[in-house]
């Protein structure tokens, strides 16, 4: 689930606990075949039956609420298998054709592991929660292999601890960290143990060089999708919360760009509509190390900017140029600023998750199986 959904869930949980209510979190821990959402999708259920966020298109929620109310009453976590191909069960007249496993656990904010996990989610810090699906114990793993206290280390069996932590750190190190259930080998050839690895990661950063009219819908749509949006422009009058709600605003001239350092997961888009500023911003973007650097407009514009920089004695390595994308966006026939924003964000999602952005109609394989690996064309 994206950062915006996580914010909504945690905000509701914080309010509920403040009122003295009890709550449970339901998490999709396994997907088999076609399903509406993927592993790691969460839903909050309160003791009065209220829910925040969804695990499906609406076919599972009522049943999960009933399970969650029982979990809140007893305190015993449970994993339930739901066959989405059973049309009559869900009363929708159509099934997804797959099945999902949903784990429900009562929230104990005083438990140190739970508290640390919720804190990581709230702050958008990288962390992995390891939960064996059969048996007891769990551990919270932070990048570098740190765990919050020796008592937490002891909650995983000795044969499970090392491979589970290694698997968690490997997933945290990926470009687009995704939760998953893994079957880890048991000791001495014993049957493998299914372990769910839930992930918290910093939201992807979107940096817009330029605060023009067309940057506004791009910023707004990106914020709604959970991006950490930053807008850079030397014209302070353009940098207002009214124009860019939820974004971090930077009143920086081209000469002061060194004061801003993009995050390792940043996506940088040059869209000043000003040749001199675009040239300086493109240099800053390509030298930043960010994996995605886009230039708004026709490809000729990006090539002209590079040629001008080369004439000034500024050259880039093949690795730097391989990160440049121009034109940006999917070929949707977009014209209006809102449509262009949709096109750009669609490409960013496909790029981050390893998809090619093609039509799903006629696709015979799994919808959520990425056929490609993200790659930027060279210039």
């Amino acid at each position: 689930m994206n950062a915006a959904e996580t914010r909504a869930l945690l905000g509701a949980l914080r309010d509920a606990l403040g009122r003295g209510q009890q709550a449970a979190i339901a998490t999709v821990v396994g997907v088999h075949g076609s399903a509406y959402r993927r592993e790691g999708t969460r839903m909050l259920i309160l003791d009065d039956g209220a829910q925040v966020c969804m695990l499906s298109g609406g076919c599972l929620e009522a049943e999960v609420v009933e399970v969650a109310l029982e979990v809140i009453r007893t305190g015993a976590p449970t994993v339930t298998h739901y066959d989405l191909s059973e049309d009559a069960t869900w009363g929708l007249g159509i099934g997804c054709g797959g099945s999902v496993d949903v784990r429900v656990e009562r929230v104990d904010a005083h438990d140190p592991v739970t508290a640390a996990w919720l804190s990581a989610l709230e702050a958008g810090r990288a962390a992995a929660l390891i939960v064996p699906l059969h048996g007891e114990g769990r551990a919270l793993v932070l990048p570098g292999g740190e765990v919050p206290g020796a008592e937490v280390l002891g909650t995983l069996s000795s044969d499970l601890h090392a491979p589970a932590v290694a698997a968690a750190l490997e997933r945290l190190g990926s470009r687009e960290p995704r939760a998953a259930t893994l079957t880890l080998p048991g000791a001495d050839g014993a049957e493998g143990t299914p372990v769910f690895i839930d992930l918290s990661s910093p939201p992807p950063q979107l940096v817009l060089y330029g605060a023009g009219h067309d940057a506004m819908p791009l910023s707004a749509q990106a914020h709604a999708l959970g991006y950490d949006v930053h807008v850079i422009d030397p014209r302070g009058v353009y940098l207002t919360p009214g124009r860019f709600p939820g974004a971090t605003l930077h009143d920086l001239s081209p000469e002061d760009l060194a004061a801003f350092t993009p995050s390792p997961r940043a996506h940088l888009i040059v869209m000043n509509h000003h040749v001199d500023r675009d040239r300086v911003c493109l240099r800053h973007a390509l030298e930043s190390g960010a994996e995605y650097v886009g230039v708004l407009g026709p490809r000729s514009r990006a090539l002209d900017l590079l040629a001008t920089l080369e004439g000034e004695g500024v050259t880039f390595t093949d690795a730097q140029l391989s990160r440049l994308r121009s034109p940006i966006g999917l070929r949707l026939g977009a014209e209006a600023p809102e449509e262009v924003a949709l096109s750009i964000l669609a490409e960013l999602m496909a790029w981050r998750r390893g998809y090619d952005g093609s039509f799903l109609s006629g696709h015979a394989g799994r919808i959520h199986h990425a056929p490609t690996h993200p790659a930027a064309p060279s210039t």
Side-chain angles (χ1 to χ4, degrees):
M1 59 193 299
N2 64 36
E5 290 177 298
T6 299
R7 284 197 302 263
L9 186 150
L10 293 176
L13 174 61
R14 184 171 56 249
D15 292 344
L17 295 178
R19 294 191 299 267
Q21 285 189 269
Q22 291 188 306
I25 292 179
T27 306
V28 176
V29 297
V31 174
H32 317 280
S34 298
Y36 191 75
R37 301 298 300 270
R38 310 308 298 163
E39 291 90 345
T41 302
R42 308 179 193 95
M43 182 174 79
L44 176 70
I45 303 95
L46 305 183
D47 55 15
D48 60 3
Q51 66 184 66
V52 178
C53 298
M54 300 180 70
L55 301 181
S56 72
C59 51
L60 291 180
E61 280 65 23
E63 178 70 15
V64 172
V65 167
E66 292 302 315
V67 173
L69 292 176
E70 179 67 12
V71 169
I72 290 174
R73 186 184 69 81
T74 65
T78 184
V79 177
T80 305
H81 180 78
Y82 297 95
D83 187 348
L84 303 179
S85 66
E86 298 175 355
D87 301 346
T89 301
W90 311 115
L92 297 180
I94 183 170
C96 296
S99 61
V100 298
D101 301 318
V102 178
R103 185 177 189 273
V104 182
E105 180 178 13
R106 188 172 69 186
V107 177
D108 179 3
H110 300 292
D111 172 70
V113 177
T114 300
W117 171 240
L118 293 177
S119 177
L121 288 172
E122 185 89 42
R125 292 195 303 269
L129 181 66
I130 303 172
V131 182
L133 294 184
H134 304 305
E136 299 180 352
R138 57 183 184 161
L140 183 68
V141 179
L142 304 174
E146 301 171 7
V147 293
E151 72 280 2
V152 177
L153 284 170
T155 62
L156 290 176
S157 63
S158 57
D159 62 317
L160 188 62
H161 174 76
V165 170
L169 290 173
E170 180 180 2
R171 299 195 77 82
L172 281 172
S174 64
R175 170 183 289 173
E176 181 74 2
R178 304 298 294 268
T181 292
L182 308 176
T183 300
L184 301 178
D188 301 324
E191 184 178 353
T193 301
V195 172
F196 177 63
I197 300 178
D198 204 352
L199 296 176
S200 168
S201 59
Q205 186 183 77
L206 179 64
V207 179
L208 307 181
Y209 296 95
H213 182 72
D214 54 353
M216 294 165 58
L218 180 53
S219 173
Q221 291 179 29
H223 178 68
L225 290 174
Y227 281 86
D228 174 24
V229 182
H230 293 252
V231 183
I232 300 174
D233 200 290
R235 301 166 296 178
V237 68
Y238 282 38
L239 297 172
T240 66
R243 287 169 58 86
F244 298 100
T248 302
L249 308 177
H250 304 267
D251 186 348
L252 295 174
S253 67
E255 296 76 19
D256 297 328
L257 285 177
F260 176 79
T261 302
S263 79
R265 299 185 66 208
H267 310 77
L268 313 181
I269 298 179
V270 178
M271 53 187 308
N272 286 287
H273 302 288
H274 186 282
V275 173
D276 290 337
R277 287 201 297 269
D278 278 347
R279 185 182 72 255
V280 178
C281 290
L282 178 57
R283 177 179 180 178
H284 179 261
L286 287 175
E287 291 179 346
S288 71
E291 290 187 309
Y292 183 105
V293 176
V295 177
L296 186 69
R299 186 168 178 80
S300 60
R301 180 172 179 80
L303 295 177
D304 288 344
L305 294 173
L306 290 174
T308 302
L309 285 168
E310 185 176 2
E312 296 173 347
V314 180
T315 58
F316 302 100
T317 66
D318 289 342
Q320 288 173 320
L321 292 175
S322 70
R323 300 196 296 268
L324 177 62
R325 300 186 71 87
S326 174
I328 52 173
L330 297 186
R331 187 177 295 178
L332 306 180
E335 296 182 6
E338 292 78 9
E339 296 173 342
V340 172
L342 175 65
S343 169
I344 293 171
L345 290 170
E347 181 195 335
L348 285 178
M349 179 179 291
W351 181 87
R352 284 169 46 210
R353 297 181 179 178
Y355 291 80
D356 59 12
S358 59
F359 290 129
L360 285 173
S361 179
H363 179 69
R366 293 179 57 187
I367 292 175
H368 290 102
H369 177 70
T372 65
H373 295 284
S378 64
T379 59

